[in-house]
Amino acid sequence: MIQNTNNSLEKKLNEFIGKNIIITQDGFLKNKYSIHKLKYFIEYEILNITDDESQNYLKINLNQIYKMKINEKDIKLYLDNDTIICLAI
């Protein structure tokens, strides 16, 4: 993923820190779950999203993202293999 896109993603994720978010996955697999008090870090091109209150987590290889839409209340990540991950407040 190019650096400019990475910076945009981090800037928006910083606004989500400590907030409750809903994560939905759409594509060949569909699921939905919540993250309470979001924390994140990026290590070796892997986005790690963790939850302070439960054992829910999400790990995304940033190299798999080919498109991203950032809005006021959500982030949509379009990944290879026809998968869309949405993080919404």
Side-chain angles (χ1 to χ4, degrees):
M1 190 164 80
I2 60 175
Q3 188 62 34
N4 201 18
T5 304
N6 196 7
N7 290 341
S8 298
L9 177 60
E10 285 191 68
K11 182 178 176 183
K12 190 63 178 179
L13 283 171
N14 284 335
E15 295 175 19
F16 284 14
I17 290 175
K19 295 181 180 173
N20 297 335
I21 64 164
I22 301 293
I23 296 176
T24 55
Q25 177 182 352
D26 195 11
F28 66 95
L29 289 174
K30 295 180 185 260
N31 70 49
K32 182 178 185 178
Y33 61 96
S34 61
I35 297 284
H36 305 283
K37 296 185 181 176
L38 176 136
K39 290 188 338 185
Y40 84 93
F41 64 95
I42 297 174
E43 184 175 55
Y44 305 114
E45 296 292 319
I46 304 292
L47 170 62
N48 298 275
I49 295 175
T50 60
D51 186 339
D52 265 356
E53 295 183 0
S54 74
Q55 294 181 347
N56 292 342
Y57 67 92
L58 176 66
K59 293 186 178 202
I60 298 174
N61 183 338
L62 296 175
N63 293 318
Q64 298 294 310
I65 298 171
Y66 67 87
K67 181 178 169 183
M68 183 171 51
K69 289 185 181 177
I70 297 176
N71 297 311
E72 187 175 325
K73 300 249 182 204
D74 67 12
I75 302 168
K76 285 188 181 178
L77 304 172
Y78 296 81
L79 286 79
D80 294 346
N81 299 322
D82 298 325
T83 300
I84 300 169
I85 304 290
C86 181
L87 294 89
I89 294 179

